[in-house]
Amino acid sequence: MNVLTDNFSTYGDGFLGTLQLTVYASLLALALGFLMASFRVAPVASLRVFGTVWVTVLRNTPLTLLFFAVLLGLPRFGLVLPFQVFAVLALGCYTSAFICEALRSGINTVPTGQGEAARSLGMTFGQTLSLVVLPQAFRSVIPPVGSTLIALAKNSAIAGAFSVTELLGTYKTLNELGYDIVWTFVWIAAGYLVITLAISALFNVLERTFGAVR
C-alpha cells in the first residue's frame, strides 16, 4: 500500500488526467460518430463519400501514428494548442470512426418502412433521421458503443508518450524514485479498472432503460 499512499497525489493527477481525456474524447467521438453516421446514410453522394473516407482512413490508421500526426503535425501548420487538447482530438476522431460504424449498423436494423412513412408525412431527411431512425437505432447500439468507449479509455494511455498527464505515465516518476515496478503497475491497472467499470455500469443502466428487448 505504501506505493499508493506515498504517491497518492501523483496517482491522483494521473487518474484525473486519464478521466478528463476519456470524458472529453468520448463526447467528441460521440458527436463526430453521429455526424459521420448521418453522412454515410445521407441521400447526398458527396456526404456519403466524405463519411466513407473518414471511416476508412481513421479505422485503418494506427492510433500512435494519428497521435504523431496531430500532436506534431498540426503545430507545423500554425495550430498551436495544449498537448491535452491535441490528445483529445486524436482520440476523439479515431474513436468516432468506430462509433459511426456501430451507429450505422443500428440504423440498418430499422425497417425501411419507418423512413418511408416519415417521408410520406412530409418529413425532411434530417427530421426522419433524428426523430424516427436514430432513436430506434440507438436502442440496439448501446452495448457496442459502450465497448468502444471502454477501449477509448484504455487507448488514452498512448497520450503519456506525448507529454500529456495521464495514469500510465506515472510509472516513470515512481520508477525514478525507486518504487517496486510491479506494485506501481498494479495501482495503475486499478485506476483504469475504476474508469472502465464506471463506463460499463453507465451503459448497463442505459441498456436496461432504453435497450431493445431481444
Side-chain angles (χ1 to χ4, degrees):
M1 287 294 294
N2 68 303
V3 176
L4 176 64
T5 56
D6 294 349
N7 304 279
F8 193 78
S9 61
T10 301
Y11 275 114
D13 291 341
F15 181 84
L16 182 60
T18 294
L19 186 60
Q20 289 176 336
L21 282 175
T22 301
V23 171
Y24 295 146
S26 294
L27 293 175
L28 178 61
L30 289 170
L32 288 176
F34 272 103
L35 181 63
M36 292 303 147
S38 301
F39 282 3
R40 300 227 37 200
V41 298
V44 181
S46 58
L47 293 180
R48 293 198 302 273
V49 170
F50 183 87
T52 301
V53 171
W54 178 275
V55 170
T56 302
V57 170
L58 290 177
R59 289 185 71 188
N60 293 284
T61 300
L63 182 55
T64 304
L65 180 60
L66 186 60
F67 264 88
F68 274 110
V70 173
L71 275 79
L72 303 180
L74 291 181
R76 293 178 177 271
F77 295 94
L79 184 58
V80 179
L81 296 170
F83 271 19
Q84 186 180 37
V85 176
F86 282 136
V88 168
L89 288 175
L91 276 171
C93 290
Y94 176 79
T95 308
S96 71
F98 297 90
I99 297 289
C100 169
E101 288 303 274
L103 289 173
R104 191 169 70 93
S105 68
I107 290 173
N108 289 336
T109 65
V110 178
T112 56
Q114 298 282 332
E116 293 172 355
R119 287 192 294 273
S120 69
L121 294 174
M123 288 187 176
T124 63
F125 170 75
Q127 291 173 327
T128 301
L129 191 66
S130 60
L131 299 177
V132 178
V133 178
L134 282 179
Q136 297 181 69
F138 174 74
R139 299 176 62 194
S140 63
V141 301
I142 293 174
V145 169
S147 298
T148 302
L149 296 185
I150 288 174
L152 182 153
K154 293 183 287 187
N155 287 338
S156 67
I158 297 176
F162 297 90
S163 302
V164 177
T165 301
E166 52 79 43
L167 190 56
L168 182 61
T170 59
Y171 89 90
K172 300 176 185 176
T173 302
L174 301 185
N175 188 44
E176 291 173 357
L177 294 175
Y179 286 95
D180 189 323
I181 193 67
V182 174
W183 283 105
T184 297
F185 279 109
V186 165
W187 291 115
I188 289 174
Y192 280 106
L193 187 62
V194 169
I195 294 174
T196 55
L197 286 179
I199 297 173
S200 179
L202 172 62
F203 276 84
N204 283 337
V205 172
L206 291 175
E207 186 175 12
R208 287 196 301 269
T209 306
F210 303 106
V213 177
R214 302 190 184 278

